[in-house]
Amino acid sequence: MTAADETWPGPTVGVEEEFFLVDPDSGRPLPEADQVLADLRGVPPARYGGAELQRELLACQVEAASAVCRSLTGLAGRLHLARRRLAAAAHRRGALLISSGTPPAPPGRATLSRGDRFRRIAELYAGVVPDYHASGCHVHVGVRDRETAVAVTAHLRPWLPTLLALSANSPHHDGEDTGYASWRMVQQSRFPGSGVPPVFDSAAAYDREVARLVDCGALVDERMSFWLVRPSARFPTLEFRVADAAATCDEAVLQAALARALVRTAVEAVDRGRPAPRVSDQVAAAAVWSAARHGLHGSGVDPFRERRVPATELVAALLAHVRPALEATGDRKLVDTRLRWLTTHGDGAARQRRHPPADRAALLRHLAEETVAPPRAAGPAPTAPRTPGAPYAAGPVGPASVPGAPYVAGPAGVPYAPDPPPGPDGHRAAGTLGVTGPAAAPEGHGALDAPGTRGTPGTLDAPGPVGTSDAHGIPGTPDAHGTPDALDRGGLR
């Protein structure tokens, strides 16, 4: 083990996922968040994976913040369960739950969620807010202290655009194809201080800069910043805010795996006294823009060589950079599988574009089915036929689907598996997703409330406890605890 391993057993991980509630026919956002959350208020948290469900900035959005986990298999089960429960509650309110960085139909003027902080945000940023229909996937990775968090941030800067390219899932704005893979990132750039964070030499320097921006009137308070990664204001975690809302829970888990591996790699570099790589602020901004414009299957910007290269080349460089960390946590096989799947089928934006906005019904069905699709086993990635001249398949996305039911071919689902016990080095091996037989069909688009066949004990519909929280000395979930104002702390916080 390295010196870092001896003093720091390894990062925990948690994920905050933001979703849109839309009309099942038109795709327009529906301001039903309060009603959907109220519908689940009496449901034991174990029934939706122990997540904390809360409001977001807009009344057409809901967020699920996972429990703190060590194993990615445990995280995958939790995310899937929370998605299914929210989808079922949305269905009962006449809405569809979709995981997309922007809505597929013209949203109209936004309805703000209730809460003093949301009101202050709307007052400060004025006309930007009503047009800000954007959902993200935020990954929290545990670190041992705040000084480490700030030091690690400098090492993460070159890799943030590649995480964005992998997550790109927001091609539409006002019902039209923008030509961008991540229009959400374009929208986010309108807020002050967005993008790759500056380099700070200490936690105190970081705090002074945030306080200065508050004094300048650019931020509502010290809990807010728009950088793509930032130390938590309350707990020893780093929050990655770079990714679009993940189309599938597999893609959310991929972001979590890569974020954790990046942090683990950076902590080792910090402990060994290695300086962070020098990256031009302007080149970093160009790399973020290029990732937003092109996504996974286009050109990106190499921040080290300062020139355009294929985005897939940047993904390969990222994977090589973090491979030792992935092997140490047992996550390499899972990451390899999901990256092969993305390379074959395209990022979320590319998959959305196979359903033109004019065919709104097909696009909505696609988004709803992917949102509740079960995790895939960490094995050989499914392949799809390639169209000559096309960089990825133009055919069906993922396993073959039965009309009206999401992803029922092949393994029908993955039972929730509690995190395995830690090994001698304090880490839990990811292992495989271990399908133990046909699981209950996801409560997906068109059948969210159908009684159907329920899962057997230990599957995703089990009424009992849903694994352990794997808390890293932190109660609840990172940056999403059950404080009295929890429901008013979402959005641009």
Side-chain angles (χ1 to χ4, degrees):
M1 295 191 297
T2 67
D5 290 330
E6 292 168 356
T7 59
W8 187 52
T12 53
V13 66
V15 175
E16 296 172 349
E17 295 200 275
E18 299 167 351
F19 305 98
F20 283 111
L21 301 167
V22 302
D23 183 273
D25 298 318
S26 69
R28 292 181 180 274
L30 295 176
E32 294 288 329
D34 282 348
Q35 292 75 14
V36 168
L37 293 173
D39 185 78
L40 290 169
R41 217 156 254 149
V43 179
R47 296 284 288 164
Y48 44 83
E52 184 170 349
L53 309 179
Q54 51 198 21
R55 297 188 190 104
E56 260 300 323
L57 176 67
L58 303 183
C60 62
Q61 293 173 294
V62 291
E63 178 182 273
S66 79
V68 183
C69 298
R70 285 193 185 277
S71 83
L72 297 185
T73 53
L75 176 65
R78 291 178 181 280
L79 296 182
H80 182 219
L81 192 52
R83 285 171 174 235
R84 287 174 56 189
R85 291 286 174 254
L86 281 169
H91 179 73
R92 289 190 287 272
R93 297 299 308 181
L96 202 62
L97 185 83
I98 62 169
S99 190
S100 175
T102 54
R109 190 169 181 84
T111 301
L112 205 67
S113 292
R114 293 181 294 107
D116 178 65
R117 194 159 189 271
F118 292 142
R119 178 186 56 77
R120 290 162 55 207
I121 289 171
E123 289 175 354
L124 178 60
Y125 300 113
V128 172
V129 172
D131 192 40
Y132 187 67
H133 286 81
S135 289
C137 173
H138 301 167
V139 178
H140 288 261
V141 181
V143 291
R144 59 181 172 238
D145 55 52
R146 193 167 174 76
E147 289 294 340
T148 301
V150 171
V152 162
T153 299
H155 289 260
L156 302 176
R157 297 173 78 244
W159 309 106
L160 297 174
T162 303
L163 293 179
L164 173 62
L166 285 167
S167 76
N169 187 35
S170 52
H172 301 118
H173 179 64
D174 278 344
E176 301 292 336
D177 191 325
T178 63
Y180 280 74
S182 176
W183 189 253
R184 164 187 162 269
M185 188 54 60
V186 175
Q187 289 186 304
Q188 189 170 313
S189 69
R190 295 182 295 177
F191 292 94
S194 64
V196 173
V199 175
F200 301 99
D201 59 12
S202 67
Y206 175 89
D207 292 339
R208 283 195 300 271
E209 186 66 12
V210 173
R212 184 180 296 119
L213 291 172
V214 174
D215 289 342
C216 289
L219 303 179
V220 166
D221 53 36
E222 285 79 4
R223 284 162 40 206
M224 172 181 279
S225 73
F226 296 98
W227 293 315
L228 299 182
V229 65
R230 67 185 187 185
S232 166
R234 298 185 175 194
F235 304 104
T237 65
L238 266 173
E239 183 184 11
F240 289 73
R241 302 170 59 84
V242 63
D244 281 1
T248 64
C249 63
D250 275 343
E251 287 162 281
V253 171
L254 175 62
Q255 286 287 321
L258 293 173
R260 177 164 74 173
L262 281 167
V263 169
R264 183 183 175 97
T265 302
V267 166
E268 182 172 348
V270 169
D271 287 349
R272 293 180 180 274
R274 297 173 187 156
R278 297 175 65 87
V279 176
S280 158
D281 291 343
Q282 290 301 306
V283 171
V288 171
W289 177 86
S290 187
R293 173 67 176 85
H294 301 294
L296 180 59
H297 288 279
S299 64
V301 173
D302 186 320
F304 303 107
R305 292 180 285 172
E306 299 185 341
R307 64 181 179 83
R308 284 183 295 174
V309 298
T312 49
E313 186 175 314
L314 298 175
V315 173
L318 170 60
L319 191 60
H321 176 67
V322 300
R323 190 169 293 281
L326 293 172
E327 291 173 346
T329 51
D331 298 334
R332 176 178 170 178
K333 183 177 180 181
L334 183 146
V335 167
D336 286 346
T337 297
R338 278 142 184 74
L339 285 176
R340 285 197 303 270
W341 191 91
L342 274 179
T343 300
T344 301
H345 297 285
D347 55 39
R351 302 196 308 270
Q352 285 197 43
R353 285 185 168 123
R354 294 181 194 138
H355 309 277
D359 190 355
R360 192 67 47 75
L363 177 58
L364 288 172
R365 183 166 58 250
H366 161 76
L367 289 170
E369 290 181 356
E370 287 213 325
T371 298
V372 296
R376 294 176 178 86
T383 59
R386 290 180 179 271
T387 301
Y392 41 81
V397 176
S401 296
V402 174
Y407 294 138
V408 296
V414 181
Y416 179 82
D419 287 345
D425 64 349
H427 299 296
R428 287 166 167 78
T432 64
L433 289 176
V435 177
T436 59
E443 298 171 40
H445 181 57
L448 290 172
D449 279 323
T453 303
R454 310 302 291 176
T456 55
T459 67
L460 285 169
D461 283 314
V466 189
T468 57
S469 67
D470 264 340
H472 183 56
I474 307 169
T477 56
D479 273 346
H481 307 306
T483 52
D485 65 340
L487 291 178
D488 290 335
R489 289 175 41 238
L492 308 175
R493 55 176 190 265

